[in-house]
Every structure is written in structure tokens, then in C-alpha cells.
Amino acid sequence: MKLTLKIWRQKSAGTQGKFIKYEIDNISEDTSFLEMLDQLNVELEEKGEEPVHFDHDCREGICGTCSLYINGHPHGPHQTTTCQLHMRSFKDGDTITIEPWRAKAFPIIKDLVVDRSAFDRIIQSGGYISVNTGGTPDANEIPIPKDVASEAMDAASCIGCGACVAACKNASAMLFVSAKVAHLGKLPQGEVERHARVQRMVAQMDEEGFGACTNTGACAAECPKEISLTNIALMNRHYFNASFSH
Amino acid sequence: MILDSKTPDGPIAEKWTRHKFGMKLVNPANKRKYDVIVVGTGLAGASAAASLAELGYNVKAFCFQDSPRRAHSIAAQGGINAAKNYQNDGDSVFRLFYDTVKGGDYRSREANVYRLAEVSTNIIDQCVAQGVPFAREYGGLLDNRSFGGAQVSRTFYAKGQTGQQLLLGAYSALSRQVNTGKVKLYPRTEMLDVVIVDGKARGIVARNLITGVIDSHSAHAVLLCTGGYGNVFYLSTNAMGSNATAAWRAHKKGALFANPCYTQIHPTCIPVSGEHQSKLTLMSESLRNDGRVWVPKSKEQAEKIRTGEIKAGSIAEEDRDYYLENRYPAFGNLVPRDVASRNAKDVCDDGRGVGPTGLAVYLDFADAIQRDGRDTIEAKYGNLFDIYEKITGENPYNVPMKIYPAVHYTMGGLWVDYNLMTTVPGLYALGEANFSDHGANRLGASALMQGLADGYFVIPYAIGDYLATMPYDKVSTDHEAFREARDKVDNDIKKLLNINGSKPVDHFHKKLGKVMWDYCGMARNADGLKKAKKLVQEIRDEFWSDLKLTGGYDELNMSLEKASRLVDFLELGELMIDDASLRDESCGGHFRSEHQTDEGEAKRDDEHFAFVAAWEYKGEGKPEVMYKEDLVFENVKLTQRSYK
Ligand SMILES: Cc1cc2nc3c(=O)[nH]c(=O)nc-3n(C[C@H](O)[C@H](O)[C@H](O)COP(=O)(O)OP(=O)(O)OC[C@H]3O[C@@H](n4cnc5c(N)ncnc54)[C@H](O)[C@@H]3O)c2cc1C
Ligand code: SF4
Ligand code: FES
């Protein structure tokens, strides 16, 4: 198929960016979205132009690196990662607009590449269980009900891609933070620190410049890993309780 | 050079305990006087960095991704082995050890493998304590599944996302140490050289991928936890960025490279669909627990399937060849990976492959769905089925999956002794980057185990033994050795940018990959390898004269990154070919078609090849020199591997 691409090009963090239009032909339906961009990049390089920079690594929907805002949706039209999007989701002759994540806390580095280290700093502030290596009890010592373990697993499936932030008009990071709070808070091992954890993570989230949550649910609607809004409710409960236990 | 593995004396079950006792310790108050560089934040690197920081060392951790959580370990699906024997089905440390040595086709070092099996149980305890949400049974205890090459259920898993959950566990431990200030993180930073001062590894030179600035970092020891080199083949299941640069540049600085030709081809990947393909997607091997592998018995029917005239469903039961179940009744669909891969190649070479290209076999869940119900199968494999459908547009609940082998893992890597130290003092290699535990073939669910064993439970002891002998003094990054390394890296990059040829990087990488796959892939022979060596040299020459790079030096330049990695793949590829030529036997994933049993199985030559081939770099354009580490088997009897 033949497509028109409108892609955000920006040389570096400090420079002005703008949309540039490209035409591309001979794209097969089985091609993934990123492979389509690979093809564009080969053509650009052959012409001596700089390729479009975008983040990606595993191309399997698990590393959370890919991060394109496609036709007004983070990761495009389906609830999946950009790398798992295939060209069969588009039609011959379509125009596709491709932008980076837009959020104050995710500054643009170049073209479609943004800096998401704010997420790492939120985890560093408290997104863990404080155990050192060694000296842990036998893994089967504390039985965990199957449904609790699988709820924790669902929350732990977050890939840290940032689509939730990109989807939110306030650029809030609540879905991401709540997924970690819920994952650890649901498990007996993580329950111990749940109050301190949520307070520290929320404080860091605010410091990074993410916006407030106004419960529109845009995040969960776009999250490729179907992280549920119930995590946000749970996090609010933890946060509320934590304020009282102090 | 004599390769001393430093394997401790004593009975195998006591070696590690005795060795730990014999090792020197660094007093807790003195640990803060030592700096350690950890390159890589996958399972091996993140677990090592976190554990060393907890002990009190000052750690700097590097990765080329934008976050340590995105290391390629995140993509592992199936599970992690441990000899817990929770299932009471006869597992033990000795059995896991035995299975791993046998699975590796008797080409690994017994003592290392035993230690791996021994600490495997601690790994599960550690991960559970960190909050890794492993799958559980209704009673609340941990669930297990079985994996290829084993007759017991010892694999722990977290849906089809085990690597993700284990890595997030290690990443959380690492993040906690970043918070305490004991670890300093350097994401989007690529190590491009090791710096050696007075014969010891004392630092690295790395490029900030955003600014292009080349920086030096000094330390008392350097750990390479940089993963495998499967991307030499261009198409593999590895992440796009996975590369050999760190290991290869360490090799050029004196670290011997062991068994480079040992590559694992994974039997269950989604087949290639076209020229545009940039990577291959693995379908977890755990699928072989319930899926049945088959192709049509007749070539005529296979041909009709390929042209689309008939569908899989219209082939009658008696016309299907469940070739693994038929040839290997004891293990059936669960034979080790190399056996499964080779058999898939054989039936396709025989003209019975399916799919438009004929390079695919079926993995069929119809019987399992009928037996256990769709819900059960969905609970076990739902997310894998989803991935499959997203990529291929076909629904595996209704039609059989199509799979084909793909490059997946590299057993070869930097040679290390029992302490995980390379031949350069103070330079360690952990995880997939070393060669140590899997011999000529790795069993499923054992790479995750090895990465975490190395990082959580081996290196914290081993490094103390070395650092205890080191003075506290730091080497300044103004030292001549640092300056030289920086200049070299700077020159190399400028050289690439100045070729001004006509073809982008991928052109050369695809070419290299094809040569490696055709001649140094699933089956190899002397003539093919000879041809491949010449071809690789030609591609290298063409690369250095016709590469076209755009973009600059001092900015984010992803084509430059790719080109710089390809430089190393082009050199490593040739060494893989040399190693494959030298190893005139078949073993595990290394299948020399000249050496097979009457039944088409890999035929080892223990008399001549029961050794590790460790290669020494001798300078540009000079042939490398091979040193042998003889493998001694005292606890496992060498037999022809049989999975019948
Ligand atoms: C799709 C897939 C599924 C798998 N499934 C399983 C499974 O179910 N069970 C199992 O046991 N094994 C599995 N494996 C194998 C296993 O995942 C890997 O062998 C293992 O995770 C490797 O871990 P590692 O820590 O050694 O390296 P990696 O996780 O590859 O990490 C390498 C790290 O090094 C960094 N790095 C590399 N080079 C440089 C450089 N020059 N400068 C700076 N940083 C650098 C990277 O940024 C990264 O952080 C699977 C592999 C694949 C490809
Ligand atoms: S919550 Fe969903 S959208 Fe947000 S980072 Fe996690 S996976 Fe991405
Ligand atoms: S590239 Fe890893 S999730 Fe898309």
C-alpha cells in the first residue's frame, strides 16, 4: 500500500520541531508499523537525509521502549504497543500522523524520542520491597491465594511505556504509579511498607511535574497492558490511610 | 597460555561451600573504598549491581536502553528452573545438574553447573521476597511446569512473562540502591572499550548516546553483563539493540572468547513473513507441553497447503506425521531445543514444510483444547496466543500455529574461570555474556537461572576474593591508558562517519546474517564454512568502503550506533566460523553434517573434542590462537544423548 506520513521532526531538545510530510509506497500488510518506518528510514538514508529517530528494542510488546503517538492515540488505533501494530490496520492511501509522547515530564530528545527517566525516579523513590540479597525465607513459606497472586501479576504487567501519560490531558502518571503500588501492596511481602511506599512515590510523581488525575479514564483506555483503573482506586485508599496513620 | 579454571578440589557437592569458605573477604567498612562498574542491567547486571551495592561497594551501572528495566531479559517468556522439588517428582540439585550437563551435550564445566543447580533454589526465595508474582496453585503454593530436556516439573513462571517479572524484581532492588546513593545509573550510555592498567581491568570508556560525549569511568573491577550475540544473524529473537560490542572489545583487550560457534536455534518461533522482517518472535517453548508438532506425511499434501489449495484442518489424522512423538517416544514434543529444531529443518528440507514459504511446521493445540477445555489453555498460554494472532493475523485457538526455528541464544561467550573472571584480572563476565554453564546447548528456563545465580549469589563472593588483594587507590581517568582508549573510540567513530559510501547499515547486516544462517546456522560443514569465511571478509571490506551514515557525532545517532555494533559482529562472525570449522564433531547446537549418527543425531567425538575452545585475539588481520580447557567429567558419565 501507499501512505502519506506526517512525522514530527525535531533535531534536539533545544530546537524547534515541525511536521514533515513523507510519501511511502510498497508497504505490505504483514509489515509491522516500526518496520514500515525502517523502510522509510532506508529510503531517507539512501537520499542522504537523516533517518527518523524513534525508540524501540524488543519489538515484542514487552520492553515498553516503543512510544509513538499515532493519529491522536498513543500506540495507535488498537490497545497494543506500537511495535505490535501491523500495517493491516491501515488502508491504502491513508495519511498517518506520528508524534512523540507529549508531556512536561517527558521532554523530547530528538524526533520521536522522549526522556522517560521520570518513571525510573518514581520507582527509585519507593517502588520496591526492601529486602537484600540472601537470608530470605523459603518461597513456599507464605502461601498466597491464587487470585491475589494473579491480581498482583496483572498490575505488575505494566511495561512502563508512558502511554497512560501521553493519553491523559493532564499528563498524569497515576495509572503507572498505581500499578506498582497495587502489585506490591497486594502481596503479603509488600504489604508491610505500603503506606510509606505510596507516600514516597506520590511525592516523587508530583516533583517530576506530572499532572493531577481527574478520573477521565483515558489512560486505561489506551494502556497496551490493560492496567485497570481499579489500581488507582486502591492507591487512593492506601494514600488516604497513610495520611491517617501518620 | 594455560587456562586455569580455578575449580576447587573436593567432592562436587562440597566445592562451592568449601570455596566460599576459602575466599578472602573485604571487611564491611572497607567495601565503600572500592568502585565497581557493572555494564548491563539485565538479570545478570541488575542483580549483581544491586547485591554489590547492598554489600557496600560503590557501583556504576550502565545500559544502552533508556531505562535499566528495558534490558533484553525482559522478553523472556517461559520460566526459570530451580531444584526445589516442590512437586515431589524426584527432582534434586544433582538431577538439575545432571540434566544441564547432559542437555549441554557434555561440553560444559561440571563444577560451574553444579553450583548453578545448587543456588537455583535461593533464587526463587529471593524473587518471591522481592514480590515477583509467580504463578500459584489454589492452595497458595507455587506452581511449576515442565520444559524441554527434563522429565520433572521444576520450572517456575509468571504467566508468559517470567523474564519481565524477574527483571522487574532485580530492577526494583537496583532502584532501591540508586535511592540509597550506592548505585549511580548511566542509561543511554554505551560502553565502547575496557581500560586496562598494569594488566588489570580498571575502567571503561563509554559514549553518551544522546550527546555523543565519550567519557571515562575508573573502578577497581569491571563486570560485563552485556548479554548474547545472536544478532550476528541479523534476524533473531533478541531485541534489536542486543549486541556483542562490550564482549568483543574486551576480547580485543585480552579476554579470551570461548566456543563462539555454539549458537542455540530455538524451535518455536513465528516463521519469517517477508523481506521487511526486522526480528523474529519467539513462541515460548512451554507451548510444547500441550501443543503437538506435525507436518503432512506426504509432500503432495504439503505442497497443496503451501499454495493455499487446502488447509491444515483438511488433513486426516492418519496423514499427519507427528514426527517428534514418533521418533522420540520418551520425550515426544519435549525433546531439547537442538533436536526439535533440527527435526523441523529436516522435514522442511524433505519438502513437507507448510506455510507460504515452506519453512514452517505446525504446532497444534486442537487435542489439548479438547482435552482440557479452552479456558485452561487460555489461562496457560492466553498472552502467547494473543501475540501470535497480532503478528500473523491467525487465531491459534482455531487453526494450528505455524512455527520455525530461529536464532535465540548464544552459549559461547567470554571465557571465565570458576570465579566468573575472564583472562583479564578484574574483568568479569556474567549471564549470557559468558560461556560457562550451558555447554553446546542450553536447556529451556536455565538462562534466567544462570543470570540471577551469577548476579545474586556468585559474584558477591567472588569479587571480594579479588578486591581484597587490591589497593584502595583509584586510577585517574587522565591516566594514559584511559586517554588512549578514548582516542581510539573517538577515531573509530569518526572513521565510520567518514566512509561516505552509498548503502545504509542494514544492507550489510542483512547480508552478514544470511551468510551466517546459511553456513553457520542449524547445520554446518567444512566446505560451507570455508565459503562463509570468504564471504564475511568480503562483506566487511564492502562495509568499510561503501557504508553511508547520515547524522552527526555529537547527537543521538541511531544509525551510527548500529554501524558501530556491526563492526564487531563482522569480526565476531568470522571467529564463529573459525570455531565451527575447528570443531570437527557435532555437539548440541553445533551440528556438523559430516558427523551424525545413523539416525541423524549429533555425533560427538569425546576423544578429540571434550574441551572448551578459547580464542585469543592477536591483532588486526592476524589469525586468532586457540587454547584448550580440557573438560573432565567425574560425576556424569558421557553417553550418546538419547531422548528416545
Ligand atoms: C525472546 C526470548 C525469550 C527467552 N525466554 C527465556 C526463558 O523463558 N527462560 C530462560 O531461562 N531464558 C530465556 N531466554 C534467554 C534469556 O532471556 C537471556 O539469556 C537472559 O535474559 C540474558 O540476560 P543477561 O542479563 O545476560 O543479558 P541481557 O538481559 O541481554 O542484558 C544485557 C544488558 O547489557 C547492556 N549492554 C549491552 N551492551 C552494552 C554496552 N556496550 N554498553 C552498555 N550497556 C550494554 C544492555 O543495555 C542490557 O542492559 C529468552 C531469550 C529470548 C530472546
Ligand atoms: S500503565 Fe499501561 S500505559 Fe501506563 S506505563 Fe504501564 S503499561 Fe504503559
Ligand atoms: S519495542 Fe518493546 S514494547 Fe515495543
Side-chain angles (χ1 to χ4, degrees):
Chain A
M1 43 179 143
K2 197 173 160 156
L3 302 158
T4 304
L5 306 171
K6 276 174 63 189
I7 304 180
W8 183 261
R9 302 296 313 253
Q10 180 171 336
K11 184 82 180 148
S12 62
T15 53
Q16 267 293 329
K18 60 168 188 268
F19 283 105
I20 307 259
K21 220 183 206 178
Y22 300 96
E23 306 288 336
I24 186 159
D25 203 352
N26 293 322
I27 297 293
S28 119
E29 294 212 317
D30 290 331
T31 307
S32 74
F33 196 84
L34 297 182
E35 285 165 352
M36 182 274 293
L37 289 179
D38 290 344
Q39 199 166 319
L40 172 72
N41 278 344
V42 166
E43 289 173 18
L44 291 178
E45 286 191 289
E46 279 169 353
K47 283 193 288 188
E49 289 175 39
E50 246 202 282
V52 177
H53 277 68
F54 59 89
D55 262 329
H56 65 100
D57 199 21
C58 74
R59 297 203 173 185
E60 281 191 21
I62 193 73
C63 72
T65 313
C66 60
S67 43
L68 301 181
Y69 198 79
I70 302 162
N71 287 343
H73 294 278
H75 296 306
H78 306 302
Q79 218 178 336
T80 181
T81 57
T82 306
C83 59
Q84 294 301 93
L85 178 63
H86 282 72
M87 296 315 290
R88 63 180 83 89
S89 300
F90 297 89
K91 291 192 311 293
D92 188 40
D94 276 358
T95 296
I96 307 176
T97 307
I98 310 171
E99 296 171 74
W101 282 177
R102 304 228 189 237
K104 186 172 138 223
F106 292 162
I108 293 179
I109 293 172
K110 180 173 185 166
D111 294 341
L112 306 167
V113 177
V114 301
D115 178 355
R116 284 170 290 187
S117 53
F119 271 10
D120 285 322
R121 288 188 294 274
I122 293 176
I123 299 294
Q124 287 154 18
S125 73
Y128 40 75
I129 293 172
S130 301
V131 287
N132 282 355
T133 303
T136 50
D138 184 87
N140 259 347
E141 194 163 294
I142 310 175
I144 302 177
K146 190 179 166 77
D147 53 337
V148 173
S150 79
E151 282 170 23
M153 177 66 214
D154 287 343
S157 302
C158 164
I159 56 175
C161 63
C164 44
V165 176
C168 175
K169 63 179 170 32
N170 306 324
S172 162
M174 282 293 270
L175 195 63
F176 167 77
V177 177
S178 70
K180 189 48 64 187
V181 165
H183 157 214
L184 297 176
K186 280 178 195 281
L187 296 170
Q189 289 85 355
E191 215 186 340
V192 188
E193 295 170 278
R194 71 182 188 281
H195 289 149
R197 177 181 307 119
V198 71
Q199 287 186 317
R200 284 154 58 186
M201 292 179 76
V202 168
Q204 188 66 35
M205 171 175 85
D206 293 343
E207 196 182 316
E208 297 290 345
F210 290 104
C213 172
T214 49
N215 289 315
T216 64
C219 51
E222 301 280 12
C223 168
K225 296 294 144 180
E226 296 173 35
I227 300 297
S228 153
L229 285 176
T230 58
N231 293 314
I232 298 189
L234 180 104
M235 167 158 146
N236 285 334
R237 249 184 352 260
H238 280 200
Y239 191 72
F240 184 77
N241 292 341
S243 323
F244 276 93
S245 61
H246 274 254
Chain B
M1 184 183 305
I2 293 175
L3 287 173
D4 179 3
S5 71
K6 306 225 170 73
T7 301
D9 297 331
I12 190 117
E14 287 168 31
K15 282 184 197 288
W16 179 230
T17 310
R18 286 196 196 184
H19 188 63
K20 280 194 287 189
F21 186 71
M23 282 192 280
K24 291 184 269 304
L25 297 172
V26 178
N27 166 317
N30 289 337
K31 290 200 175 87
R32 74 173 84 97
K33 296 176 183 156
Y34 292 111
D35 304 331
V36 180
I37 285 174
V38 180
V39 188
T41 59
L43 288 179
S47 59
S51 305
L52 295 179
E54 286 161 9
L55 288 172
Y57 298 110
N58 310 310
V59 176
K60 284 184 176 184
F62 295 80
C63 66
F64 62 75
Q65 289 92 349
D66 69 330
S67 163
R69 67 180 287 155
R70 307 202 203 283
H72 165 62
S73 293
I74 200 92
Q77 302 171 347
I80 176 167
N81 286 332
K84 281 285 198 186
N85 194 28
Y86 283 160
Q87 306 305 325
N88 195 30
D89 59 357
D91 201 10
S92 62
V93 167
F94 195 86
R95 188 176 294 280
L96 176 53
F97 155 72
Y98 181 91
D99 286 351
T100 308
V101 173
K102 176 184 171 200
D105 218 1
Y106 310 98
R107 290 294 175 263
S108 48
R109 195 189 285 149
E110 273 193 346
N112 284 56
V113 179
Y114 193 91
R115 175 178 64 192
L116 174 66
E118 194 177 335
V119 304
S120 67
T121 57
N122 304 71
I123 296 174
I124 304 303
D125 300 342
Q126 187 65 34
C127 296
V128 166
Q130 289 169 341
V132 170
F134 283 122
R136 289 182 180 262
E137 293 169 345
Y138 283 104
L141 302 182
L142 292 161
D143 191 18
N144 290 121
R145 54 165 61 142
S146 44
F147 242 62
Q151 286 170 309
V152 293
S153 273
R154 60 160 78 98
T155 306
F156 294 79
Y157 65 102
K159 275 199 174 161
Q161 294 147 247
T162 316
Q164 178 196 31
Q165 294 309 317
L166 296 175
L167 183 60
L168 292 180
Y171 162 77
S172 70
L174 175 67
S175 298
R176 177 169 162 250
Q177 293 308 312
V178 174
N179 193 43
T180 67
K182 289 307 284 183
V183 174
K184 185 149 171 39
L185 271 186
Y186 294 85
R188 291 204 200 261
T189 307
E190 183 151 339
M191 171 203 137
L192 294 175
D193 212 352
V194 193
V195 177
I196 295 175
V197 176
D198 298 333
K200 297 192 168 108
R202 291 308 301 264
I204 62 167
V205 168
R207 179 169 180 268
N208 178 319
L209 298 179
I210 296 175
T211 62
V213 170
I214 292 166
D215 246 328
S216 312
H217 303 269
S218 162
H220 296 89
V222 176
L223 275 49
L224 300 184
C225 315
T226 48
Y229 52 89
N231 276 349
V232 112
F233 291 86
Y234 185 70
L235 286 181
S236 83
T237 62
N238 289 10
M240 301 297 288
S242 298
N243 69 87
T245 290
W248 189 252
R249 301 209 177 171
H251 174 58
K252 290 172 93 169
K253 280 284 175 79
L256 266 51
F257 207 110
N259 302 331
C261 80
Y262 288 170
T263 319
Q264 178 162 82
I265 315 277
H266 195 289
T268 49
C269 301
I270 300 180
V272 175
S273 75
E275 263 300 304
H276 52 79
Q277 193 109 11
S278 58
K279 76 152 286 176
L280 296 171
T281 300
L282 174 81
M283 286 285 101
S284 169
E285 173 171 39
S286 62
L287 292 168
R288 287 199 276 142
N289 271 308
D290 288 297
R292 300 180 69 195
V293 177
W294 65 275
V295 289
K297 276 187 184 156
S298 83
K299 292 181 197 179
E300 293 69 35
Q301 282 197 321
E303 174 63 22
K304 285 189 185 152
I305 285 185
R306 289 196 290 270
T307 56
E309 206 175 311
I310 56 170
K311 297 252 174 303
S314 46
I315 307 245
E317 196 56 34
E318 64 272 16
D319 294 331
R320 301 177 176 196
D321 180 7
Y322 295 93
Y323 57 89
L324 290 178
E325 294 171 23
N326 298 338
R327 288 183 77 172
Y328 309 96
F331 281 70
N333 293 297
L334 288 175
V335 290
R337 293 177 171 175
D338 54 327
V339 179
S341 294
R342 233 168 7 248
N343 275 277
K345 180 182 186 318
D346 287 350
V347 295
C348 291
D349 287 353
D350 188 36
R352 295 189 293 138
V354 298
T357 59
L359 293 176
V361 300
Y362 288 127
L363 180 63
D364 198 337
F365 290 88
D367 289 347
I369 291 173
Q370 198 165 37
R371 184 187 65 222
D372 301 338
R374 187 185 151 124
D375 290 351
T376 308
I377 295 301
E378 186 170 343
K380 278 190 185 164
Y381 309 114
N383 66 324
L384 297 171
F385 280 28
D386 288 348
I387 295 181
Y388 183 85
E389 189 173 357
K390 268 181 199 145
I391 294 176
T392 62
E394 289 184 344
N395 181 341
Y397 293 105
N398 303 332
V399 294
M401 276 187 181
K402 288 196 275 287
I403 54 164
Y404 198 65
V407 173
H408 178 58
Y409 184 88
T410 47
M411 282 77 67
L414 292 174
W415 184 90
V416 290
D417 64 16
Y418 189 70
N419 296 317
L420 304 182
M421 202 194 281
T422 67
T423 46
V424 176
L427 181 68
Y428 293 81
L430 282 66
E432 193 173 339
N434 74 26
F435 88 107
S436 78
D437 296 350
H438 308 293
N441 173 54
R442 174 176 70 79
L443 289 184
S446 58
L448 302 182
M449 168 172 73
Q450 185 222 333
L452 292 179
D454 288 358
Y456 284 135
F457 298 111
V458 179
I459 199 69
Y461 294 91
I463 206 166
D465 191 48
Y466 172 73
L467 290 176
T469 65
M470 291 282 287
Y472 305 131
D473 319 8
K474 298 181 196 286
V475 176
S476 156
T477 52
D478 293 332
H479 189 283
E480 204 187 300
F482 274 99
R483 203 155 344 123
E484 269 173 26
R486 273 196 305 269
D487 287 349
K488 166 133 186 25
V489 164
D490 171 73
N491 268 328
D492 288 349
I493 293 176
K494 288 185 178 143
K495 207 166 136 195
L496 284 170
L497 285 167
N498 290 332
I499 298 174
N500 282 326
S502 68
K503 299 201 179 69
V505 187
D506 285 357
H507 166 83
F508 304 99
H509 200 168
K510 281 185 186 173
K511 264 179 127 170
L512 171 69
K514 181 150 179 11
V515 171
M516 296 303 292
W517 178 249
D518 286 348
Y519 301 107
C520 199
M522 251 187 293
R524 303 142 176 204
N525 62 60
D527 287 345
L529 289 164
K530 212 189 259 165
K531 196 160 147 196
K533 188 170 161 92
K534 207 166 143 267
L535 289 170
V536 170
Q537 286 167 346
E538 282 167 19
I539 300 168
R540 204 163 55 219
D541 290 345
E542 193 197 336
F543 171 87
W544 282 110
S545 61
D546 200 20
L547 172 72
K548 180 180 192 108
L549 281 182
T550 53
Y553 180 108
D554 48 4
E555 62 174 330
L556 182 62
N557 186 341
M558 291 181 173
S559 301
L560 172 63
E561 291 165 28
K562 283 200 280 188
S564 159
R565 293 168 191 161
L566 184 55
V567 168
D568 299 318
F569 282 139
L570 283 163
E571 294 178 9
L572 169 60
E574 194 177 334
L575 186 66
M576 290 168 72
I577 292 167
D578 286 343
D579 188 49
S581 312
L582 170 112
R583 193 163 284 279
D584 198 10
E585 65 157 353
S586 293
C587 58
H590 170 67
F591 190 74
R592 284 284 298 260
S593 43
E594 302 98 321
H595 302 287
Q596 44 184 312
T597 63
D598 295 339
E599 290 153 324
E601 304 293 342
K603 196 165 153 201
R604 293 194 323 269
D605 175 356
D606 294 328
E607 196 190 328
H608 300 102
F609 289 97
F611 63 80
V612 174
W615 298 83
E616 184 183 27
Y617 183 77
K618 285 295 190 190
E620 199 139 345
K622 299 207 182 97
E624 300 216 357
V625 172
M626 195 274 289
Y627 298 90
K628 287 183 191 175
E629 178 195 337
D630 286 317
L631 293 169
V632 186
F633 294 92
E634 289 168 341
N635 299 277
V636 175
K637 213 170 114 248
L638 276 72
T639 52
Q640 165 70 35
R641 253 183 354 159
S642 168
Y643 291 93
K644 295 261 166 190

